[in-house]
Structure formats: structure tokens, C-alpha cells
Amino acid sequence: DIQMTQSPASLSASLGETVTIECLASEDIYDILAWYQQKPGKSPQLLIYDASSLHTGVPSRFSGSGSGTQYSLKINSLQPEDFASYYCQNGLSAPLTFGSGTKLEIK
Amino acid sequence: EVKLLESGGGLVQPGGSLRLSCAASGFTFTDFYMSWIRQPPGKAPEWLGVIRNKANGYTTEYNPSVKGRFTISRDNTQNILYLQMNTLRAKDTAIYYCARSKTTEGPGYFDYWGQGVMVTVSS
């Protein structure tokens, strides 16, 4: 199985700040990686796919980058609705696997 | 509008069985791979398995963590996805989601998720 190691586990930031979340795959996943946002009591929502493609309707302050085994999600100019949990996901091969998550909190 | 609505969750004793359903609407159900994903409270999601689309013969693939205990099926006349869960254990306690794959070519990513249904395994 491809292991997805996500960091940090939690992150405290202020409105307007820029934050970056990292995801390390245990082997090359050839950019077949997604990022999801999850708010309390809600299902995860797709933000980014293919490492850097923005899903329909997702604000442009979200961006993804990386290649090989190392990927990142960047959120520019944090808005109140961005404080949530974020997960990366290997979409290359089964079993599809998720990172352990990053909880983004307001400072 | 794409909608996925799970049902069938609840409290079940260890060793028991449960069948979850996911009613799909707003898209051509047979065109898409469909997956079940679960999430224990406070933890990350775990992909359980996928049933492929019509073009790929509706074949299934499972996470080894549940293979042999869980079975995914679909009723393509009523647009319903199922998850049959047998020999349930306390560790199976989680919110269970059905999810649609973003493309028609593989499980890859999930662009629509249901609201989830809680399954609690306890005596």
C-alpha cells in the first residue's frame, strides 16, 4: 500500500495569512494526488486533483504543487470559511489511501 | 444536480451484519465508478472499495482491510449502491460515505460524496 504522510497535524493561523500543508507519499504517485477540505459534521469536498488542478468552483486562493513523492497545498489570504481539516489522497493505485489530516485553526 | 443519499446505518452487535444503501441521482449512474469510504470519528477517511462502471463490467476491488467481510454491489435499474458488511467488529465503527469517482476511467478521486451514515458496532 502507498502510505501518505501529511504534515503538520495541526496549524494555527490568522485571517489573511498564507499557509502550506505537505504530503509525502511512500513511493512515486506520478502527480495522481488529490486534496480535500472537510468541515465539522460534513463530508469531504474535493479541492485539487492531479496535484495542481483546481476542482470546479474552488476559489483560486487554493493551489497545489509537487511531483514524485512530495506534494503541497497552499492557501493564500486565509478566509473564515477556510478553517477546516484537510486531507491528501493517493489516486494512483488501490488501495486508495488518505493522509492523516491537517486541522487548520484560527489563531 | 448530483445527489448521493446513504441509509441503513445504526447500532449492531459485534459479529453482526448490516447493509448500507446509497441512492444516486442527477447523473448517469452506469457511467461512473462508485466507492465506499469510511471515517472513524476524529480520524482520516479510509477507502473500502470500488465497483466499476458499465464499460468495465461492474467489477469490484477492495481494501485488504475489509476484503472477505465487505461486499459492494449496485442496482443499475434503481441507481442504488450497496455495501454489505458481515462479521462486524468494534473497529468498524465509523461514518460510512458513498462517493462518486470524478472520471469515468478509474476510481482516482471523489467529486461527490453522500452526507454519510453512522455505523456503531457495540454490545
Side-chain angles (χ1 to χ4, degrees), chain B residues 2 4 11 13 15 17-18 20 23 35 41 48 55 62 65-66 71-72 80-81 84 91 101-102 115-116:
Chain B
V2 172
L4 299 171
L11 175 65
Q13 292 192 335
S17 297
L18 205 60
L20 305 182
S35 288
L48 300 178
Y62 297 94
S65 66
V66 300
T71 302
I72 298 174
I80 300 176
L81 177 71
Q84 177 67 44
K91 287 187 176 181
S101 290
K102 178 174 170 58
Q115 86 289 351

PDB file of all heavy atoms in Angstrom, chain B residues 2 4 11 13 15 17-18 20 23 35 41 48 55 62 65-66 71-72 80-81 84 91 101-102 115-116:
ATOM      1  N   VAL B   2     -26.222  16.474  -8.839  1.00  0.00           N
ATOM      2  CA  VAL B   2     -25.803  15.168  -8.340  1.00  0.00           C
ATOM      3  C   VAL B   2     -26.155  15.057  -6.867  1.00  0.00           C
ATOM      4  O   VAL B   2     -25.883  15.965  -6.074  1.00  0.00           O
ATOM      5  CB  VAL B   2     -24.288  14.976  -8.526  1.00  0.00           C
ATOM      6  CG1 VAL B   2     -23.815  13.703  -7.834  1.00  0.00           C
ATOM      7  CG2 VAL B   2     -23.926  14.962 -10.012  1.00  0.00           C
ATOM      8  N   LEU B   4     -26.222  12.040  -3.594  1.00  0.00           N
ATOM      9  CA  LEU B   4     -25.962  10.715  -3.054  1.00  0.00           C
ATOM     10  C   LEU B   4     -26.517  10.683  -1.646  1.00  0.00           C
ATOM     11  O   LEU B   4     -26.173  11.552  -0.833  1.00  0.00           O
ATOM     12  CB  LEU B   4     -24.452  10.435  -3.032  1.00  0.00           C
ATOM     13  CG  LEU B   4     -23.731  10.446  -4.376  1.00  0.00           C
ATOM     14  CD1 LEU B   4     -22.222  10.365  -4.176  1.00  0.00           C
ATOM     15  CD2 LEU B   4     -24.221   9.314  -5.259  1.00  0.00           C
ATOM     16  N   LEU B  11     -26.929   0.870  15.089  1.00  0.00           N
ATOM     17  CA  LEU B  11     -26.191   0.112  16.090  1.00  0.00           C
ATOM     18  C   LEU B  11     -26.302  -1.380  15.788  1.00  0.00           C
ATOM     19  O   LEU B  11     -27.405  -1.886  15.559  1.00  0.00           O
ATOM     20  CB  LEU B  11     -26.765   0.414  17.475  1.00  0.00           C
ATOM     21  CG  LEU B  11     -26.193  -0.369  18.659  1.00  0.00           C
ATOM     22  CD1 LEU B  11     -24.713  -0.028  18.864  1.00  0.00           C
ATOM     23  CD2 LEU B  11     -27.001  -0.073  19.921  1.00  0.00           C
ATOM     24  N   GLN B  13     -24.512  -5.377  16.905  1.00  0.00           N
ATOM     25  CA  GLN B  13     -23.641  -6.089  17.844  1.00  0.00           C
ATOM     26  C   GLN B  13     -22.414  -6.654  17.139  1.00  0.00           C
ATOM     27  O   GLN B  13     -22.463  -6.955  15.935  1.00  0.00           O
ATOM     28  CB  GLN B  13     -24.418  -7.220  18.509  1.00  0.00           C
ATOM     29  CG  GLN B  13     -25.515  -6.732  19.460  1.00  0.00           C
ATOM     30  CD  GLN B  13     -26.049  -7.864  20.310  1.00  0.00           C
ATOM     31  OE1 GLN B  13     -25.981  -9.028  19.948  1.00  0.00           O
ATOM     32  NE2 GLN B  13     -26.614  -7.514  21.469  1.00  0.00           N
ATOM     33  N   GLY B  15     -19.980  -9.075  15.487  1.00  0.00           N
ATOM     34  CA  GLY B  15     -20.289 -10.311  14.779  1.00  0.00           C
ATOM     35  C   GLY B  15     -21.505 -10.213  13.887  1.00  0.00           C
ATOM     36  O   GLY B  15     -21.774 -11.127  13.093  1.00  0.00           O
ATOM     37  N   SER B  17     -24.282  -8.251  11.086  1.00  0.00           N
ATOM     38  CA  SER B  17     -24.221  -7.792   9.701  1.00  0.00           C
ATOM     39  C   SER B  17     -25.092  -6.568   9.520  1.00  0.00           C
ATOM     40  O   SER B  17     -26.036  -6.327  10.290  1.00  0.00           O
ATOM     41  CB  SER B  17     -24.703  -8.901   8.757  1.00  0.00           C
ATOM     42  OG  SER B  17     -23.865 -10.037   8.831  1.00  0.00           O
ATOM     43  N   LEU B  18     -24.791  -5.825   8.469  1.00  0.00           N
ATOM     44  CA  LEU B  18     -25.550  -4.623   8.144  1.00  0.00           C
ATOM     45  C   LEU B  18     -25.389  -4.363   6.654  1.00  0.00           C
ATOM     46  O   LEU B  18     -24.321  -4.627   6.090  1.00  0.00           O
ATOM     47  CB  LEU B  18     -25.014  -3.441   8.950  1.00  0.00           C
ATOM     48  CG  LEU B  18     -25.926  -2.250   9.255  1.00  0.00           C
ATOM     49  CD1 LEU B  18     -27.149  -2.705  10.058  1.00  0.00           C
ATOM     50  CD2 LEU B  18     -25.169  -1.187  10.007  1.00  0.00           C
ATOM     51  N   LEU B  20     -25.731  -1.262   3.938  1.00  0.00           N
ATOM     52  CA  LEU B  20     -25.934   0.150   3.657  1.00  0.00           C
ATOM     53  C   LEU B  20     -26.356   0.337   2.205  1.00  0.00           C
ATOM     54  O   LEU B  20     -25.946  -0.416   1.329  1.00  0.00           O
ATOM     55  CB  LEU B  20     -24.644   0.942   3.911  1.00  0.00           C
ATOM     56  CG  LEU B  20     -23.998   0.799   5.294  1.00  0.00           C
ATOM     57  CD1 LEU B  20     -22.769   1.696   5.382  1.00  0.00           C
ATOM     58  CD2 LEU B  20     -24.985   1.099   6.395  1.00  0.00           C
ATOM     59  N   ALA B  23     -28.522   5.931  -2.503  1.00  0.00           N
ATOM     60  CA  ALA B  23     -29.370   6.277  -3.654  1.00  0.00           C
ATOM     61  C   ALA B  23     -28.736   7.423  -4.422  1.00  0.00           C
ATOM     62  O   ALA B  23     -28.461   8.483  -3.842  1.00  0.00           O
ATOM     63  CB  ALA B  23     -30.756   6.650  -3.170  1.00  0.00           C
ATOM     64  N   SER B  35     -17.567   4.279  -5.023  1.00  0.00           N
ATOM     65  CA  SER B  35     -16.798   3.754  -3.905  1.00  0.00           C
ATOM     66  C   SER B  35     -17.524   3.920  -2.581  1.00  0.00           C
ATOM     67  O   SER B  35     -18.422   4.761  -2.456  1.00  0.00           O
ATOM     68  CB  SER B  35     -15.448   4.480  -3.797  1.00  0.00           C
ATOM     69  OG  SER B  35     -14.563   4.127  -4.818  1.00  0.00           O
ATOM     70  N   PRO B  41     -14.715   8.495  13.905  1.00  0.00           N
ATOM     71  CA  PRO B  41     -14.779   9.842  14.473  1.00  0.00           C
ATOM     72  C   PRO B  41     -13.398  10.376  14.816  1.00  0.00           C
ATOM     73  O   PRO B  41     -12.612   9.704  15.486  1.00  0.00           O
ATOM     74  CB  PRO B  41     -15.635   9.643  15.727  1.00  0.00           C
ATOM     75  CG  PRO B  41     -16.488   8.471  15.399  1.00  0.00           C
ATOM     76  CD  PRO B  41     -15.629   7.561  14.577  1.00  0.00           C
ATOM     77  N   LEU B  48     -12.739   1.882   1.221  1.00  0.00           N
ATOM     78  CA  LEU B  48     -13.085   0.485   1.454  1.00  0.00           C
ATOM     79  C   LEU B  48     -13.085  -0.325   0.165  1.00  0.00           C
ATOM     80  O   LEU B  48     -12.736  -1.522   0.175  1.00  0.00           O
ATOM     81  CB  LEU B  48     -14.461   0.390   2.085  1.00  0.00           C
ATOM     82  CG  LEU B  48     -14.605   1.100   3.438  1.00  0.00           C
ATOM     83  CD1 LEU B  48     -16.038   0.970   3.941  1.00  0.00           C
ATOM     84  CD2 LEU B  48     -13.627   0.541   4.455  1.00  0.00           C
ATOM     85  N   ALA B  55     -18.776   0.146 -18.558  1.00  0.00           N
ATOM     86  CA  ALA B  55     -17.719  -0.093 -19.533  1.00  0.00           C
ATOM     87  C   ALA B  55     -16.658  -1.052 -19.019  1.00  0.00           C
ATOM     88  O   ALA B  55     -15.935  -1.672 -19.804  1.00  0.00           O
ATOM     89  CB  ALA B  55     -17.065   1.235 -19.920  1.00  0.00           C
ATOM     90  N   TYR B  62     -11.310  -4.261  -3.528  1.00  0.00           N
ATOM     91  CA  TYR B  62     -11.475  -3.949  -2.122  1.00  0.00           C
ATOM     92  C   TYR B  62     -10.144  -3.617  -1.445  1.00  0.00           C
ATOM     93  O   TYR B  62      -9.078  -4.091  -1.854  1.00  0.00           O
ATOM     94  CB  TYR B  62     -12.095  -5.140  -1.385  1.00  0.00           C
ATOM     95  CG  TYR B  62     -13.484  -5.476  -1.858  1.00  0.00           C
ATOM     96  CD1 TYR B  62     -13.698  -6.444  -2.835  1.00  0.00           C
ATOM     97  CD2 TYR B  62     -14.589  -4.816  -1.327  1.00  0.00           C
ATOM     98  CE1 TYR B  62     -14.966  -6.740  -3.289  1.00  0.00           C
ATOM     99  CE2 TYR B  62     -15.875  -5.115  -1.770  1.00  0.00           C
ATOM    100  CZ  TYR B  62     -16.048  -6.066  -2.752  1.00  0.00           C
ATOM    101  OH  TYR B  62     -17.316  -6.355  -3.196  1.00  0.00           O
ATOM    102  N   SER B  65      -8.077  -4.483   4.033  1.00  0.00           N
ATOM    103  CA  SER B  65      -8.530  -4.397   5.424  1.00  0.00           C
ATOM    104  C   SER B  65      -9.954  -4.911   5.614  1.00  0.00           C
ATOM    105  O   SER B  65     -10.344  -5.262   6.729  1.00  0.00           O
ATOM    106  CB  SER B  65      -8.435  -2.950   5.919  1.00  0.00           C
ATOM    107  OG  SER B  65      -9.348  -2.120   5.228  1.00  0.00           O
ATOM    108  N   VAL B  66     -10.744  -4.950   4.532  1.00  0.00           N
ATOM    109  CA  VAL B  66     -12.133  -5.406   4.645  1.00  0.00           C
ATOM    110  C   VAL B  66     -12.472  -6.523   3.657  1.00  0.00           C
ATOM    111  O   VAL B  66     -13.608  -7.031   3.658  1.00  0.00           O
ATOM    112  CB  VAL B  66     -13.140  -4.253   4.462  1.00  0.00           C
ATOM    113  CG1 VAL B  66     -12.900  -3.188   5.524  1.00  0.00           C
ATOM    114  CG2 VAL B  66     -13.050  -3.669   3.056  1.00  0.00           C
ATOM    115  N   THR B  71     -18.897  -6.473   0.957  1.00  0.00           N
ATOM    116  CA  THR B  71     -19.201  -6.679  -0.456  1.00  0.00           C
ATOM    117  C   THR B  71     -19.927  -5.464  -1.004  1.00  0.00           C
ATOM    118  O   THR B  71     -20.917  -5.007  -0.410  1.00  0.00           O
ATOM    119  CB  THR B  71     -20.077  -7.918  -0.654  1.00  0.00           C
ATOM    120  OG1 THR B  71     -19.404  -9.068  -0.115  1.00  0.00           O
ATOM    121  CG2 THR B  71     -20.366  -8.150  -2.135  1.00  0.00           C
ATOM    122  N   ILE B  72     -19.421  -4.964  -2.117  1.00  0.00           N
ATOM    123  CA  ILE B  72     -20.052  -3.824  -2.789  1.00  0.00           C
ATOM    124  C   ILE B  72     -20.821  -4.332  -3.997  1.00  0.00           C
ATOM    125  O   ILE B  72     -20.321  -5.162  -4.768  1.00  0.00           O
ATOM    126  CB  ILE B  72     -18.990  -2.801  -3.230  1.00  0.00           C
ATOM    127  CG1 ILE B  72     -18.239  -2.242  -2.016  1.00  0.00           C
ATOM    128  CG2 ILE B  72     -19.634  -1.662  -4.017  1.00  0.00           C
ATOM    129  CD1 ILE B  72     -17.074  -1.346  -2.368  1.00  0.00           C
ATOM    130  N   ILE B  80     -28.901   2.464  -7.239  1.00  0.00           N
ATOM    131  CA  ILE B  80     -28.571   2.305  -5.830  1.00  0.00           C
ATOM    132  C   ILE B  80     -27.261   1.529  -5.699  1.00  0.00           C
ATOM    133  O   ILE B  80     -27.052   0.516  -6.361  1.00  0.00           O
ATOM    134  CB  ILE B  80     -29.689   1.565  -5.068  1.00  0.00           C
ATOM    135  CG1 ILE B  80     -30.998   2.359  -5.174  1.00  0.00           C
ATOM    136  CG2 ILE B  80     -29.292   1.384  -3.602  1.00  0.00           C
ATOM    137  CD1 ILE B  80     -32.183   1.655  -4.518  1.00  0.00           C
ATOM    138  N   LEU B  81     -26.417   2.019  -4.825  1.00  0.00           N
ATOM    139  CA  LEU B  81     -25.158   1.373  -4.471  1.00  0.00           C
ATOM    140  C   LEU B  81     -25.336   0.723  -3.100  1.00  0.00           C
ATOM    141  O   LEU B  81     -25.988   1.293  -2.225  1.00  0.00           O
ATOM    142  CB  LEU B  81     -24.043   2.423  -4.413  1.00  0.00           C
ATOM    143  CG  LEU B  81     -22.649   1.986  -3.992  1.00  0.00           C
ATOM    144  CD1 LEU B  81     -22.009   1.146  -5.104  1.00  0.00           C
ATOM    145  CD2 LEU B  81     -21.795   3.203  -3.665  1.00  0.00           C
ATOM    146  N   GLN B  84     -22.587  -4.424   1.749  1.00  0.00           N
ATOM    147  CA  GLN B  84     -22.937  -5.480   2.690  1.00  0.00           C
ATOM    148  C   GLN B  84     -21.757  -5.696   3.613  1.00  0.00           C
ATOM    149  O   GLN B  84     -20.648  -5.984   3.135  1.00  0.00           O
ATOM    150  CB  GLN B  84     -23.280  -6.773   1.942  1.00  0.00           C
ATOM    151  CG  GLN B  84     -23.579  -7.958   2.841  1.00  0.00           C
ATOM    152  CD  GLN B  84     -24.855  -7.791   3.633  1.00  0.00           C
ATOM    153  OE1 GLN B  84     -25.878  -7.369   3.109  1.00  0.00           O
ATOM    154  NE2 GLN B  84     -24.801  -8.125   4.921  1.00  0.00           N
ATOM    155  N   LYS B  91     -13.942  -2.019  15.662  1.00  0.00           N
ATOM    156  CA  LYS B  91     -13.122  -1.148  14.825  1.00  0.00           C
ATOM    157  C   LYS B  91     -13.811  -0.701  13.544  1.00  0.00           C
ATOM    158  O   LYS B  91     -13.317   0.181  12.837  1.00  0.00           O
ATOM    159  CB  LYS B  91     -11.801  -1.843  14.482  1.00  0.00           C
ATOM    160  CG  LYS B  91     -10.826  -1.921  15.634  1.00  0.00           C
ATOM    161  CD  LYS B  91      -9.482  -2.464  15.182  1.00  0.00           C
ATOM    162  CE  LYS B  91      -8.464  -2.445  16.317  1.00  0.00           C
ATOM    163  NZ  LYS B  91      -7.126  -2.941  15.889  1.00  0.00           N
ATOM    164  N   SER B 101     -16.638   8.605  -8.319  1.00  0.00           N
ATOM    165  CA  SER B 101     -15.331   8.950  -8.882  1.00  0.00           C
ATOM    166  C   SER B 101     -15.486  10.113  -9.843  1.00  0.00           C
ATOM    167  O   SER B 101     -16.472  10.218 -10.555  1.00  0.00           O
ATOM    168  CB  SER B 101     -14.718   7.749  -9.599  1.00  0.00           C
ATOM    169  OG  SER B 101     -14.347   6.768  -8.663  1.00  0.00           O
ATOM    170  N   LYS B 102     -14.474  10.954  -9.873  1.00  0.00           N
ATOM    171  CA  LYS B 102     -14.534  12.173 -10.695  1.00  0.00           C
ATOM    172  C   LYS B 102     -14.581  11.859 -12.188  1.00  0.00           C
ATOM    173  O   LYS B 102     -15.248  12.544 -12.947  1.00  0.00           O
ATOM    174  CB  LYS B 102     -13.312  13.051 -10.387  1.00  0.00           C
ATOM    175  CG  LYS B 102     -13.249  14.317 -11.228  1.00  0.00           C
ATOM    176  CD  LYS B 102     -12.124  15.198 -10.776  1.00  0.00           C
ATOM    177  CE  LYS B 102     -11.890  16.338 -11.767  1.00  0.00           C
ATOM    178  NZ  LYS B 102     -13.117  17.158 -11.950  1.00  0.00           N
ATOM    179  N   GLN B 115     -23.871  12.328   2.434  1.00  0.00           N
ATOM    180  CA  GLN B 115     -23.783  13.012   3.726  1.00  0.00           C
ATOM    181  C   GLN B 115     -23.228  12.086   4.819  1.00  0.00           C
ATOM    182  O   GLN B 115     -22.840  12.552   5.890  1.00  0.00           O
ATOM    183  CB  GLN B 115     -25.166  13.545   4.151  1.00  0.00           C
ATOM    184  CG  GLN B 115     -26.066  12.568   4.884  1.00  0.00           C
ATOM    185  CD  GLN B 115     -26.621  11.455   3.981  1.00  0.00           C
ATOM    186  OE1 GLN B 115     -26.487  11.478   2.764  1.00  0.00           O
ATOM    187  NE2 GLN B 115     -27.267  10.471   4.612  1.00  0.00           N
ATOM    188  N   GLY B 116     -23.176  10.806   4.517  1.00  0.00           N
ATOM    189  CA  GLY B 116     -22.637   9.843   5.468  1.00  0.00           C
ATOM    190  C   GLY B 116     -23.701   9.249   6.370  1.00  0.00           C
ATOM    191  O   GLY B 116     -24.733   9.881   6.648  1.00  0.00           O
TER     192      GLY B 116
END
